Amino acid sequence: DAGVIQSPRHEVTEMGQEVTLRCKPISGHDYLFWYRQTMMRGLELLIYFNNNVPIDDSGMPEDRFSAKMPNASFSTLKIQPSEPRDSAVYFCASSLEDTYNEQFFGPGTRLTVL
Amino acid sequence: GIQVEQSPPDLILQEGANSTLRCNFSDSVNNLQWFHQNPWGQLINLFYIPSGTKQNGRLSATTVATERYSLLYISSSQTTDSGVYFCAVELENSGYALNFGKGTSLLVTP
């Protein structure tokens, strides 16, 4: 079975540009999570969805960040405009409530904002 | 808020040695997972273990929920075990987000 798929794997952009990160969860999973990993703050939750509905976005740093889940097999995390402090690895994870919500992570997108 | 503390922060082992990593957490949890972040950055699931003991090959884990700690045992370590080991917990009654510790960075030398 395919795991969580993220694209792109690496993104280098210039300050002020729009960045869109993409995630395909494991088929059948009903929860999707976006996390960010930085040296200073470690791994932290940004937002999560249940059945495509955002449940908790309290970790989204500011209005420049937005996330959508238009269907069960696709989610996007958008940063507009991007800033150098957004440089981090962004992970997507998914889980299934029937299996106690064990979360499985994608390979991550390493974002560098110059 | 929830505190997830891992120890030791860093560990260097010679190949073949055994080690124990610890995770302390400050509140009751629904879920506890151990991950290995390999040198390529990927987070690999090791155990889902909110309580009890599990074993998978050279790795085993024990969680004592009533005392709010979990242990990860690595036996006969190999160089491929190098990386960062994270403990992550999901609080009771606070949604399904995982709260991560800062990790234990493990280096296994030949």
Side-chain angles (χ1 to χ4, degrees):
Chain A
D1 288 341
V4 176
I5 298 171
Q6 291 186 247
S7 65
R9 294 293 305 278
H10 302 273
E11 177 81 30
V12 180
T13 191
E14 292 190 345
M15 183 173 62
Q17 296 298 305
E18 178 179 294
V19 175
T20 299
L21 311 181
R22 296 171 176 81
C23 175
K24 177 179 169 56
I26 294 172
S27 177
H29 279 194
D30 50 6
Y31 281 84
L32 183 140
F33 305 82
W34 284 99
Y35 292 87
R36 179 171 67 173
Q37 185 176 31
T38 61
M39 290 294 292
M40 291 297 293
R41 299 175 65 89
L43 275 152
E44 54 184 351
L45 177 79
L46 299 177
I47 185 171
Y48 77 90
F49 296 83
N50 175 221
N51 291 323
N52 314 337
V53 176
I55 302 301
D56 182 353
D57 65 353
S58 60
M60 296 286 262
E62 49 198 274
D63 292 345
R64 297 184 298 106
F65 285 70
S66 63
K68 295 182 179 179
M69 192 164 184
N71 57 61
S73 58
F74 184 65
S75 176
T76 59
L77 178 68
K78 186 175 292 187
I79 309 172
Q80 167 62 20
S82 57
E83 297 182 2
R85 61 191 166 126
D86 302 330
S87 297
V89 180
Y90 290 80
F91 287 100
C92 177
S94 70
S95 67
L96 179 63
E97 187 166 14
D98 286 351
T99 57
Y100 308 104
N101 274 309
E102 181 180 2
Q103 293 187 26
F104 294 87
F105 281 70
T109 295
R110 181 174 295 278
L111 173 64
T112 302
V113 183
L114 303 174
Chain B
I2 179 86
Q3 292 185 355
V4 182
E5 296 180 353
Q6 293 188 240
S7 61
D10 300 283
L11 187 58
I12 299 176
L13 298 175
Q14 195 155 26
E15 204 167 21
N18 303 327
S19 64
T20 301
L21 282 55
R22 187 177 181 100
C23 173
N24 293 333
F25 44 94
S26 58
D27 288 297
S28 298
V29 299
N30 285 329
N31 176 7
L32 187 148
Q33 293 185 237
W34 282 97
F35 297 90
H36 175 216
Q37 187 165 39
N38 63 24
W40 294 269
Q42 187 152 11
L43 284 163
I44 309 296
N45 287 47
L46 297 178
F47 294 102
Y48 167 84
I49 187 166
S51 63
T53 298
K54 290 186 177 180
Q55 180 157 7
N56 184 4
R58 296 180 297 103
L59 302 182
S60 63
T62 295
T63 297
V64 183
T66 53
E67 297 185 22
R68 299 184 179 167
Y69 73 88
S70 184
L71 302 174
L72 178 68
Y73 305 95
I74 304 174
S75 65
S76 304
S77 58
Q78 301 177 357
T79 56
T80 52
D81 294 332
S82 296
V84 182
Y85 290 80
F86 288 103
C87 168
V89 303
E90 174 199 313
L91 285 178
E92 283 186 356
N93 305 316
S94 70
Y96 294 111
L98 286 176
N99 298 272
F100 282 80
K102 294 184 178 180
T104 292
S105 180
L106 173 65
L107 177 63
V108 181
T109 60

